[in-house]
Amino acid sequence: MIRPRRSHLFMPGSNPRALEKARTVAADGIILDLEDAVAPDSKGTARDAIAETLGKGGFGKREMLVRINALDSPWWIDDVAMAAKAKPDGILVPKVSSIEDLNAVADRLSDLNADMSIKVWAMIETSRAILHVEELAACSRDAEVRLAGFVWGPNDIARETRIRMTPGRASMLGMITQCVLAARLYGLDILDGPYSNFNDNEGFIAEAEQGRDIGFDGKTLIHPAQIDASNKVFTPPADEVAQARRIIAAFEQPENASRGAIQMDGKMVERLHAEMAKRTIAIADAIAAMG
């Protein structure tokens, strides 16, 4: 099933107002955060608040993820136990670096008899994760691992590697492309990381457009002010959707049934373009269905 993932907004689990606001924002997804946005002495309170929030529901068609604490912390086991009961759409695991990390989460979910509808998302934000990203993506072949996608985490990568985060992200493009390729090889979705300066709308749009062109499915956000721009950038333009429908209609004509390529508007259009058009239409229809 294709679902829009144009905008996934981080909301701190320790902020009751933010948790309430999550029901009304126009983001495709909400990431209820137990990690970076929550102080150590507030972890338990935030965990309980997220469980209560998910229990109340009211999020419509938004995808609900819970970012747990890192696997080297004392909190993650209780975080997963809460999520197993609360049943979000998925668990976002920070600082995943190895197959063993993914297996540890999978084993915990299995021990809790967690519903298989709860998927696992891995944050790619360590050197080891990037160097072994194809191996991590390959874990998705095991249904018990539940791996549904990656989230690019630039801030921790910059901290660990001392690679500078500069406008245009030239220093990180090679790593980003490697992660996108691994995700696509195994049919996973992948979300771009956050843009920290939420007052810089022009810079945000530039980075979001770059992320779209690189192949990300959407962007993670740190402020509601970024939602509309992210949704617009990752929504297929109306003329692109119309052209996609024309391509599909043309290949469905009886005279084109056996052809690998046809002419449209003075250009050659191949069946691979028809497959791309089908996805464009599917994502456009899914966005429309979100309301």
Side-chain angles (χ1 to χ4, degrees), residues 182-253:
R184 297 296 175 238
L185 179 61
Y186 290 95
L188 301 175
D189 275 4
I190 181 168
L191 302 180
D192 198 357
Y195 187 80
S196 298
N197 187 355
F198 56 81
N199 289 312
D200 179 14
N201 192 54
E202 184 177 335
F204 174 82
I205 291 173
E207 184 168 289
E209 289 176 341
Q210 180 199 50
R212 175 200 61 199
D213 295 344
I214 291 172
F216 284 117
D217 293 289
K219 196 161 180 63
T220 53
L221 316 174
I222 60 167
H223 197 279
Q226 300 172 322
I227 295 172
D228 288 345
S230 193
N231 284 347
K232 183 176 181 180
V233 167
F234 286 96
T235 296
D239 58 346
E240 186 177 308
V241 178
Q243 179 68 0
R245 296 190 191 281
R246 289 185 63 220
I247 291 172
I248 297 300
F251 273 103
E252 288 176 347
Q253 294 296 316

Side-chain angles (χ1 to χ4, degrees), residues 161-184:
T161 64
R162 296 193 289 276
I163 294 173
R164 293 192 176 187
M165 296 174 62
T166 57
R169 301 194 285 189
S171 58
M172 289 188 172
L173 287 181
M175 296 184 291
I176 292 172
T177 302
Q178 185 176 347
C179 294
V180 171
L181 290 174
R184 297 296 175 238

Side-chain angles (χ1 to χ4, degrees), residues 43-58:
K43 298 291 187 183
T45 302
R47 188 184 304 121
D48 292 341
I50 287 176
E52 182 179 355
T53 298
L54 289 171
K56 289 180 179 178

Side-chain angles (χ1 to χ4, degrees), residues 2 7 32 38 41 80 98 122 129 131 148 163 173 177 196 204 273 291:
I2 291 178
S7 53
L32 302 175
V38 179
D41 59 357
V80 174
S98 65
L131 291 172
I163 294 173
L173 287 181
T177 302
S196 298
F204 174 82
H273 297 116

Side-chain angles (χ1 to χ4, degrees), residues 95 125-126 154-163 165:
K95 300 176 181 65
E125 51 187 350
T126 69
N155 294 313
D156 278 286
I157 289 170
R159 176 186 56 80
E160 181 179 304
T161 64
R162 296 193 289 276
I163 294 173
M165 296 174 62

